[in-house]
Amino acid sequence: IDGAIGSLEALPGVVDAVGRGFPVIFDSGVRGGSDVLRALALGAAAVQVGRPWVYGMAIAGEEGAREALRNILAEFDLALGLSGHRTIAELSREILTR
């Protein structure tokens, strides 16, 4: 819908509304490792990946899907390290800036 906020922008409010006792799984627009990092830092308990593995499968079958997911994991690992963190537990909203 034109003018609506994006799902990543809405994520902190959703996490706050449901509280810590209810894990929020984010599944919207995740295309790479930095998207995973941002969603986890904003409070998602887990992140689902939709299109990238499908694109990989369309190009090279099962191995293409595996490669797409390996690439996202590698990008996440790189983004985590470049942000100065070693574990997901160290991530928080404060590491992100507008």
Side-chain angles (χ1 to χ4, degrees), residues 5-13 26 28 34-35 38-40 42 96:
I5 65 171
S7 55
L8 193 63
E9 190 175 348
L11 180 59
F26 187 75
S28 182
S34 60
D35 297 327
R38 282 191 292 273
L40 293 173
L42 291 173
L96 304 176

Side-chain angles (χ1 to χ4, degrees), residues 4-82:
I5 65 171
S7 55
L8 193 63
E9 190 175 348
L11 180 59
V14 172
V15 170
D16 292 344
V18 299
R20 295 249 179 233
F22 192 83
V24 174
I25 300 172
F26 187 75
D27 181 21
S28 182
V30 177
R31 303 289 181 265
S34 60
D35 297 327
V36 173
L37 182 128
R38 282 191 292 273
L40 293 173
L42 291 173
V47 178
Q48 294 182 341
V49 178
R51 292 181 192 171
W53 74 267
V54 174
Y55 295 152
M57 182 176 279
I59 293 169
E62 182 180 341
E63 186 52 38
R66 289 179 190 278
E67 185 64 23
L69 293 174
R70 279 193 293 262
N71 288 341
I72 290 173
L73 286 172
E75 289 172 6
F76 171 73
D77 188 50
L78 178 63
L80 188 66
L82 290 174

Side-chain angles (χ1 to χ4, degrees), residues 81-97:
L82 290 174
S83 71
H85 300 89
R86 293 178 290 154
T87 68
I88 293 170
E90 295 174 359
L91 299 178
S92 67
R93 293 178 189 174
E94 289 74 35
I95 72 162
L96 304 176
T97 59

